[in-house]
Amino acid sequence: MSSVHSILRLGVDVGGTNTDAVLLDLSEGSRRGQVLASAKHLTTADVTLGIQNAIESVLTQTQNKSNIQALCIGTTHFVNALVERDPRRLDRVAVIRLCGPFTHGTPPFVGFPHELRDLLEGPHFLLSGGLQIDGSEIASVVVAQVESACDEINRQGIHAVVVSSVFAPIDFEIQQEETVAAIVRKRIQGMDVVCSKDVAAIGLLERENASILNAALLRYAKKTVIGFEKAAQALELKCSVFITSNDGTLLSCAQAARLPIRTFSSGPTNSMRGAAFLAALESGISKQSALVVDIGGTTTDIGMLLPSGFPRQAAAHHEFCGVLLNFSMPHVTSIGLGGGSIVREDPVTHKVTVGPNSVGHRITSESLVFGGSTLTATDVVVAAGRASNIGDESLVSGIGQSIIEGAQSAIKKMLQNYLDAMKTSSQDIPVYLVGGGSILAPDVLAGISRVHRFPHFDVANAVGAAIAQISGIIDSFEDTSTRTIVQVRADVEARAIARAIASGADPHRVAIVESEVIPIAYTTGRCRFYVKAAGDWSGVTSPSWPEVGDTLRVEASTGETACRPQMVASAAASAAVAPVMHTASDILEYEPRIKRREWLLSEVDLEWIADGCYVLGCGGGGSPLHTFLELRELVRSGETVRVIDFSSVTSNGLVGWGGSMGSPEVSSERLLGSESIAKPEALCGLEIGGANGMINMILGSTKYANIPCLDGDFMGRAYPTWHQTTANVYDVSGTGAKMLPSTMSSGDGNVMIMTKAKRDIDVDASLRAACVEMGTHVGLASRPLKADYVDNAMIKNTVSLSWRIGRAIALARKQSSLSRIGSILVDAVGGSNSARVLFMGKITDVGRRLYKGHTIGEVIITALTVDDDIDDDDPDRPMERFTGTLTIPFKNENLYAEHTADDAITTMVATVPDLISVLDAQNGSALGTPQYKYGLRVLVLGITAAPQWTGSERGITLGGPSAFGFTHIPYKPLGKYTQPRSVIEEYARNS
């Protein structure tokens, strides 16, 4: 084949230490995949200069630039701007949210850390608009409202606006966001406008957060990509310039200028894609799932490569710079292991540890093998005879054999643990090693079928940039009531392929690389579909984004981002900052504020209560995150949230109780509205587990009803149905008389009252059916109860219990004693008589399905071997060791825990109504059943249920195993119940 017909790609990837570049031959035939030239240059403070240097080095090794089809760049420009909080590169952002009466308690920026909020927050407007989950309007857009918001935005000198609408990702017909964006652009000439649906998927706050970060970067992004184009021109490259995205596909400069956030974490993606490409060049290696291990100087990134050649994506929600986001990101685990990792030997135990501290880029001056004085992982590898071409081997000849073996064992153990956690099943799979530090990895690893090192592994990241493809993504809710899921999926996949082709993919080489159907709780006839199609670039330049025009090019080329307008802080952002728990001493010394027997909740209290509520949710109840954020915003703005002991309620007082009901998918989008009830003397939680454990605190705050909340609830945990409450346990009528009448509100004008039922179980069934018709998420309040009835039925001091659990988790994290989190929690909830660690291990199997609105399934946890165990065990206080497996079936919440010994003998260790909670053993956080996945190291905590459940046959019938169809399993108490100590009682003496 003549060189005239060669197809060459220039790939560049910016890393923390080095910027790598390769020239890759992508011609058809035997030459495909040849690395014609490569270069490695130090990453410079001016990232563009480092990119230009690397490209120049590659170009000096090639004869003909004219065959270069494209320059593909993986850059850290935009991530760095946010990480460094650089005001010269970031703009303040205004937000127009279309939400009708919903979401007002959780305004834009509510989850941002203080320093980033102060830097980016502009005015926000909560306007008429938004959709329901079925695609109908919550309310129509009101043009006059939008125009008024535009006038204020213009007055404040804001340059970027985010338009976010409830359920925008499914708005294909009404197009509320697009309508408002057009109004803004017409009203304010030259305004940068970001529609949230273009940035991320379902999950209002997370999508809006991502859109805000994206909007803050827009002006800097335009300047940066123009700089890339100019650099290419200066190097006499006449090819198209692309930026690589975080899902392994390409963005044109115009697209990158519009969506810079999509470049976040593109480096690990490029490494994984490059590894897949290099693997495909090796004979005998077919497309398969594999783990990619990228070992650098300081850290190791581990990701899962799918058979499609694309990385597995992270969970729906992830954090960046302290901000919760939900846009597409590769699932990558980073650990403190690299060539520069410092090796230490404990002088007492002689235990050898590796990292996480590292000499980093100073390895050539500080490592022993290069004449320095610091023992590093590289020194150990050279001393072991596995890398004789590095440094001076004689300088490490004095390293003792015990240190060499101990360090190699520590490295192997660390890699095996994290590799196993990234797998999706127990099946052995291969590992592809890339990065200059991959010499650290052993040739044999448990659970790994084979360890591969391919040619050019050290520049796999730049290879991945060079071979990035064009994609088309569809993420939407679809009607499945009249057609099969298979038929609907085929249509959605065809739309994704069409979108990829329209973006520039070769029609003959595009394929579906990801296709998922996600059922929606409590909803029939609708499913969420996520489909991604990808293919090689066709070579035809797609139309430029119209907003990157000549006028913006002139503005962007004049230098740094224009001067920022003077900051005008919001009331919430300017409120007094809560005490920060920097150390364990801070936590131990903290005392809640008690005034006249009322507990006035602080931000710290709310955070600990939220963590505790999720633990008490026993896998269900939904995350309290959004409720916590709304409460924290209330406290920051000067409102008061009060908790009282039952003793403060008058003898003839009425206690209101209720909560929310509905689909988690809806509650993540259509956040709380103005559901309300008549004013009683106090409020009591329906369930302390999950989001409902805190929801009444919002209504009870001084902003709304100004009613204190009782330190107690009617479940002591979470249960999946409304009739499974202790208020109903004490109602011997069996007709739900103490629950009725119940009032249900959609929050936007629809109210339903249920007054009578034949059986108590019919109450939940009827209300849940109505809930679907009212938008699949409602506020619900049952009849107020008299104080004497509440005195018997309410489980007391459960808010205090959640606070103590959250405090214990925070303390374990600060004391670096997560290996002790089990015993710390047992102590926090009353001691070994009432609670115990049921099991510790890793999840090895999980299955789930949706049935009548509930998530049903089971999780299997296998005990860790000594080699697998988490490496922070204290020899003076050894952890309890477990063997065998533990099986936990769940229906929204965990139902029972059955242990199977190595000799196959089974033992029931706990059942409902006792609490069974699964926690992430590596950070102490509670796990909801949707978060169960293979490889997670977990701890299972059992807590004895309150006597309101266990003290009567009716309580066991309503809340025990038989209530879930397990009539063959008798209830046996886990221990003896200990009433939680009241926070008010403990700390009132100091007030």
Side-chain angles (χ1 to χ4, degrees):
M1 183 182 288
S2 168
S3 62
V4 174
H5 301 291
S6 297
I7 299 175
L8 308 182
R9 288 264 190 98
L10 250 177
V12 183
D13 189 77
V14 181
T17 304
N18 293 306
T19 295
D20 299 335
V22 298
L23 183 63
L24 198 63
D25 192 335
L26 291 179
S27 309
E28 295 296 335
S30 60
R31 293 185 307 171
R32 181 174 175 83
Q34 288 186 15
V35 177
L36 304 179
S38 64
K40 204 177 269 284
H41 274 260
L42 287 176
T43 298
T44 53
D46 178 357
V47 178
T48 303
L49 178 61
I51 291 172
Q52 193 164 337
N53 290 339
I55 294 173
E56 280 183 306
S57 292
V58 167
L59 292 180
T60 59
Q61 304 172 52
T62 185
Q63 300 290 324
N64 190 349
K65 300 177 184 177
S66 62
N67 290 335
I68 297 176
Q69 181 196 51
L71 168 61
C72 308
I73 301 171
T75 181
T76 57
H77 275 80
F78 311 123
V79 164
N80 291 349
L82 281 165
V83 170
E84 296 165 11
R85 310 288 203 264
D86 188 346
R88 298 169 302 165
R89 294 180 284 173
L90 299 170
D91 277 323
R92 285 177 62 209
V93 179
V95 180
I96 297 175
R97 185 191 289 173
L98 309 175
C99 55
F102 299 105
T103 82
H104 288 223
T106 44
F109 299 95
V110 67
F112 277 58
H114 280 290
E115 72 281 1
L116 197 58
R117 186 170 184 173
D118 289 344
L119 192 63
L120 302 184
E121 185 174 17
H124 65 261
F125 307 88
L126 309 179
L127 307 183
S128 177
L131 268 64
Q132 302 281 12
I133 194 172
D134 62 0
S136 62
E137 285 187 313
I138 293 172
S140 300
V141 171
V142 177
V143 175
Q145 288 183 357
V146 179
E147 290 177 340
S148 176
C150 287
D151 294 342
E152 178 60 22
I153 292 168
N154 197 28
R155 187 190 69 78
Q156 292 199 29
I158 303 292
H159 298 289
V161 175
V162 165
V163 180
S164 64
S165 171
V166 174
F167 278 117
I170 67 170
D171 183 7
F172 303 111
E173 298 178 3
I174 304 171
Q175 298 190 326
Q176 288 191 350
E177 285 191 351
E178 293 87 341
T179 299
V180 171
I183 296 171
V184 174
R185 291 191 181 104
K186 181 178 179 181
R187 192 80 171 184
I188 314 174
Q189 296 298 312
M191 176 62 68
D192 284 328
V193 184
V194 174
C195 291
S196 76
K197 67 193 296 185
D198 295 332
V199 177
I202 297 297
L204 177 68
L205 283 186
E206 295 81 5
R207 182 176 70 252
E208 187 176 78
N209 291 346
S211 301
I212 290 168
L213 297 184
N214 189 79
L217 287 162
L218 286 180
R219 288 206 295 167
Y220 176 60
K222 292 168 192 170
K223 173 187 176 251
T224 301
V225 297
I226 290 166
F228 289 160
E229 291 179 325
K230 287 187 175 181
Q233 293 168 7
L235 294 168
E236 299 180 351
L237 292 172
K238 298 181 180 179
C239 59
S240 296
V241 179
F242 292 97
I243 316 299
T244 62
S245 73
N246 46 33
D247 67 352
T249 58
L250 292 171
L251 300 170
S252 67
C253 281
Q255 290 170 323
R258 178 175 170 240
L259 292 169
I261 197 168
R262 286 188 58 189
T263 69
F264 290 11
S265 200
S266 61
T269 300
N270 287 338
S271 291
M272 285 187 271
R273 292 276 294 142
F277 184 81
L278 295 174
L281 299 178
E282 295 289 301
S283 59
I285 297 181
S286 59
K287 289 186 176 181
Q288 59 186 339
S289 292
L291 288 162
V292 177
V293 180
D294 186 356
I295 307 179
T298 302
T299 60
T300 294
D301 290 335
I302 302 173
M304 171 65 80
L305 194 65
L306 302 175
S308 64
F310 284 84
R312 183 175 72 199
Q313 295 301 290
H317 297 163
H318 45 271
E319 273 196 8
F320 177 77
C321 288
V323 180
L324 200 61
L325 309 171
N326 70 339
F327 66 94
S328 178
M329 288 273 278
H331 182 198
V332 175
T333 293
S334 295
I335 59 177
L337 173 65
S341 293
I342 297 173
V343 178
R344 298 181 178 88
E345 183 182 31
D346 188 288
V348 177
T349 65
H350 301 291
K351 182 177 181 179
V352 179
T353 58
V354 180
N357 306 97
S358 171
V359 298
H361 65 275
R362 301 186 306 277
I363 188 171
T364 54
S365 60
E366 296 189 15
S367 185
L368 294 181
V369 77
F370 291 107
S373 59
T374 305
L375 178 60
T376 67
T378 298
D379 297 326
V380 169
V381 173
V382 174
R386 298 181 53 216
S388 57
N389 60 335
I390 295 177
D392 185 346
E393 195 171 352
S394 67
L395 296 176
V396 294
S397 59
I399 301 175
Q401 189 63 30
S402 63
I403 293 179
I404 294 173
E405 292 176 357
Q408 289 184 311
S409 174
I411 291 170
K412 183 175 184 178
K413 182 177 177 181
M414 196 183 310
L415 286 173
Q416 286 179 166
N417 281 346
Y418 283 94
L419 287 168
D420 192 62
M422 289 294 289
K423 290 165 63 177
T424 55
S425 74
S426 58
Q427 181 179 354
D428 288 359
I429 60 173
V431 155
Y432 301 159
L433 289 175
V434 298
S438 60
I439 56 171
L440 302 184
D443 294 327
V444 177
L445 291 163
I448 300 303
S449 58
R450 184 180 172 187
V451 176
H452 295 271
R453 292 178 178 86
F454 304 115
H456 308 292
F457 66 87
D458 57 332
V459 288
N461 51 346
V463 171
I467 56 100
Q469 297 181 316
I470 302 291
S471 70
I473 297 173
I474 301 291
D475 184 353
S476 68
F477 289 84
E478 302 288 335
D479 185 356
T480 56
S481 61
T482 58
R483 295 187 301 163
T484 66
I485 288 178
V486 172
Q487 292 172 322
V488 176
R489 179 184 233 156
D491 284 352
V492 176
E493 289 178 349
R495 281 158 46 197
I497 290 173
R499 182 169 289 186
I501 294 170
S503 298
D506 183 345
H508 304 293
R509 300 180 72 94
V510 68
I512 299 296
V513 297
E514 204 171 337
S515 183
E516 186 177 10
V517 181
I518 306 163
I520 306 168
Y522 308 116
T523 302
T524 58
R526 290 182 73 79
C527 282
R528 181 180 173 188
F529 291 79
Y530 178 87
V531 177
K532 179 165 76 174
D536 292 340
W537 181 45
S538 64
V540 178
T541 304
S542 55
S544 293
W545 182 44
E547 299 229 352
V548 184
D550 293 336
T551 57
L552 292 177
R553 287 180 179 273
V554 171
E555 175 194 6
S557 64
T558 58
E560 290 287 357
T561 298
C563 293
R564 293 165 52 82
Q566 184 176 353
M567 180 63 202
V568 180
S570 71
S574 3
V577 179
V580 179
M581 302 290 108
H582 289 296
T583 66
S585 295
D586 293 334
I587 295 172
L588 293 170
E589 292 170 5
Y590 173 80
E591 293 194 1
R593 185 183 173 203
I594 313 296
K595 187 176 181 180
R596 291 191 294 272
R597 303 287 300 179
E598 290 186 336
W599 179 8
L600 309 181
L601 300 183
S602 69
E603 286 187 41
V604 172
D605 297 328
L606 291 169
E607 183 176 351
W608 292 350
I609 291 169
D611 284 345
C613 283
Y614 210 15
V615 171
L616 296 175
C618 302
S623 169
L625 175 64
H626 291 151
T627 311
F628 159 70
L629 290 175
E630 181 164 351
L631 284 162
R632 187 180 69 178
E633 194 72 1
L634 287 172
V635 170
R636 284 182 175 178
S637 62
E639 303 294 344
T640 300
V641 180
R642 298 177 291 152
V643 174
I644 60 172
D645 280 336
F646 180 77
S647 60
S648 297
V649 179
T650 59
S651 59
N652 59 350
L654 288 178
V655 174
W657 62 296
S660 64
M661 172 188 282
S663 163
E665 287 83 358
V666 177
S667 62
S668 71
E669 266 289 332
R670 203 194 70 187
L671 307 181
L672 298 178
S674 55
E675 295 95 354
S676 185
I677 60 174
K679 187 172 182 177
E681 184 175 327
L683 296 174
C684 181
L686 164 70
E687 55 185 343
I688 193 65
N692 270 334
M694 301 180 77
I695 198 167
N696 282 319
M697 295 177 183
I698 297 172
L699 177 61
S701 71
T702 51
K703 181 176 180 179
Y704 298 107
N706 192 17
I707 305 171
C709 295
L710 285 173
D711 189 357
D713 76 299
F714 289 119
M715 287 190 188
R717 46 167 299 141
Y719 268 116
T721 59
W722 197 263
H723 62 270
Q724 289 177 304
T725 65
T726 53
N728 189 40
V729 169
Y730 281 74
D731 175 11
V732 295
S733 72
T735 62
K738 295 298 182 181
M739 294 189 287
L740 299 174
S742 285
T743 302
M744 192 161 65
S745 170
S746 66
D748 61 353
N750 294 318
V751 176
M752 191 198 83
I753 300 175
M754 183 174 183
T755 59
K756 191 175 180 181
K758 184 168 63 176
R759 300 174 302 168
D760 53 11
I761 60 173
D762 295 331
V763 177
D764 181 81
S766 301
L767 293 175
R768 211 165 286 276
C771 170
V772 173
E773 295 300 318
M774 296 171 72
T776 325
H777 192 259
V778 296
L780 183 59
S782 288
R783 62 176 292 179
L785 299 173
K786 292 182 178 180
D788 58 349
Y789 190 85
V790 173
D791 190 16
N792 291 320
M794 185 182 79
I795 303 173
K796 295 181 175 66
N797 301 341
T798 53
V799 176
S800 291
L801 176 61
S802 64
W803 182 88
R804 294 185 188 282
I805 291 173
R807 180 177 180 267
I809 293 171
L811 190 60
R813 290 169 179 166
K814 293 299 181 185
Q815 291 177 331
S816 299
S817 56
L818 285 170
S819 62
R820 305 274 152 262
I821 186 68
S823 59
I824 292 172
L825 284 172
V826 167
D827 290 341
V829 301
S832 57
N833 288 331
S834 58
R836 61 186 171 96
V837 176
L838 303 178
F839 203 73
M840 284 189 71
K842 67 180 179 183
I843 294 177
T844 52
D845 193 22
V846 60
R848 58 175 67 86
R849 61 189 176 91
L850 201 65
Y851 178 71
K852 292 186 177 181
H854 300 290
T855 302
I856 295 174
E858 74 172 20
V859 60
I860 297 175
I861 304 165
T862 301
L864 297 173
T865 65
V866 174
D867 288 340
D868 281 337
D869 224 334
I870 300 167
D871 194 20
D872 60 353
D873 202 359
D874 182 350
D876 296 328
R877 298 178 60 195
M879 289 186 296
E880 184 179 358
R881 302 289 176 178
F882 295 89
T883 59
T885 63
L886 192 75
T887 300
I888 304 177
F890 53 83
K891 178 183 178 182
N892 286 14
E893 288 78 31
N894 303 317
L895 301 179
Y896 67 75
E898 184 177 48
H899 179 257
T900 302
D902 291 337
D903 59 5
I905 295 176
T906 60
T907 306
M908 190 67 62
V909 295
T911 71
V912 285
D914 288 342
L915 287 69
I916 303 167
S917 296
V918 179
L919 284 73
D920 187 326
Q922 298 183 78
N923 61 27
S925 298
L927 294 173
T929 56
Q931 296 167 300
Y932 296 167
K933 64 177 181 179
Y934 176 89
L936 276 180
R937 264 63 172 170
V938 297
L939 174 149
V940 184
L941 179 69
I943 306 173
T944 306
Q948 282 85 347
W949 286 112
T950 61
S952 68
E953 183 179 342
R954 177 167 170 78
I956 298 299
T957 300
L958 282 172
S962 61
F964 299 92
F966 302 114
T967 55
H968 62 290
I969 299 177
Y971 168 68
K972 181 180 178 181
L974 180 68
K976 183 177 180 181
Y977 178 74
T978 301
Q979 182 169 298
R981 186 180 182 186
S982 162
V983 166
I984 296 171
E985 191 66 38
E986 179 179 356
Y987 291 98
R989 54 182 168 75
N990 297 331
S991 300

